[in-house]
Amino acid sequence: MADPKPEPGFSKELFENWTVQMRKGVLDLCILQALAASEWYGYALVKALVAVPGVGVAEGSIYPLLSRLKRQGLVTTRLEESSEGPARKYYSATPEGKALAQEMELYFADMLRGVTGLQAATKEISS
């Protein structure tokens, strides 16, 4: 049986799937970068990540990611009493989380250079 022919034109579903996968990896990178640089109060981190253009993350999706990173030993937490309400949870990267953030940053920068180089070469060829 022959493979079905792909539909011509732009596939919105494929693009949406691709952007979801891109955002997942970039979000992990952003969280680890922020926590490697300094300790963050959970809500402040959420607000900062929601404001990152292109990441398109919902507030409710950050805390499960932080929990996963904690289970993986990449993030640690501590509670601090607050005079303004309930105790606040602060997050920071463990030494392993900081090392992974650095590796991710290097990989991402290398990938970006490669993609930019390919784009430039492609433009030269098509000119």
Side-chain angles (χ1 to χ4, degrees), residues 10-109:
F10 178 79
S11 171
K12 186 171 179 143
E13 182 181 334
L14 287 174
F15 179 74
E16 287 175 359
N17 183 54
W18 177 79
T19 58
V20 165
Q21 297 304 315
M22 287 286 293
R23 285 194 309 261
K24 283 181 180 180
V26 170
L27 186 56
D28 279 353
L29 170 62
C30 290
I31 289 172
L32 287 174
Q33 280 180 320
L35 297 179
S38 64
E39 181 179 63
W40 283 74
Y41 165 55
Y43 188 67
L45 179 61
V46 167
K47 286 298 186 190
L49 292 169
V50 167
V52 175
V55 175
V57 64
E59 288 184 26
S61 64
I62 305 285
Y63 290 106
L65 290 174
L66 288 166
S67 293
R68 176 180 54 81
L69 293 171
K70 184 177 179 183
R71 283 191 311 275
Q72 293 172 329
L74 302 171
V75 168
T76 188
T77 61
R78 70 174 180 87
L79 286 176
E80 185 174 300
E81 293 300 321
S82 172
S83 60
E84 300 170 12
R88 292 182 169 187
K89 188 179 277 191
Y90 286 84
Y91 296 84
S92 59
T94 62
E96 295 81 7
K98 289 177 181 181
L100 180 58
Q102 187 174 23
E103 287 297 315
M104 291 170 83
E105 288 173 29
L106 293 170
Y107 183 84
F108 188 73

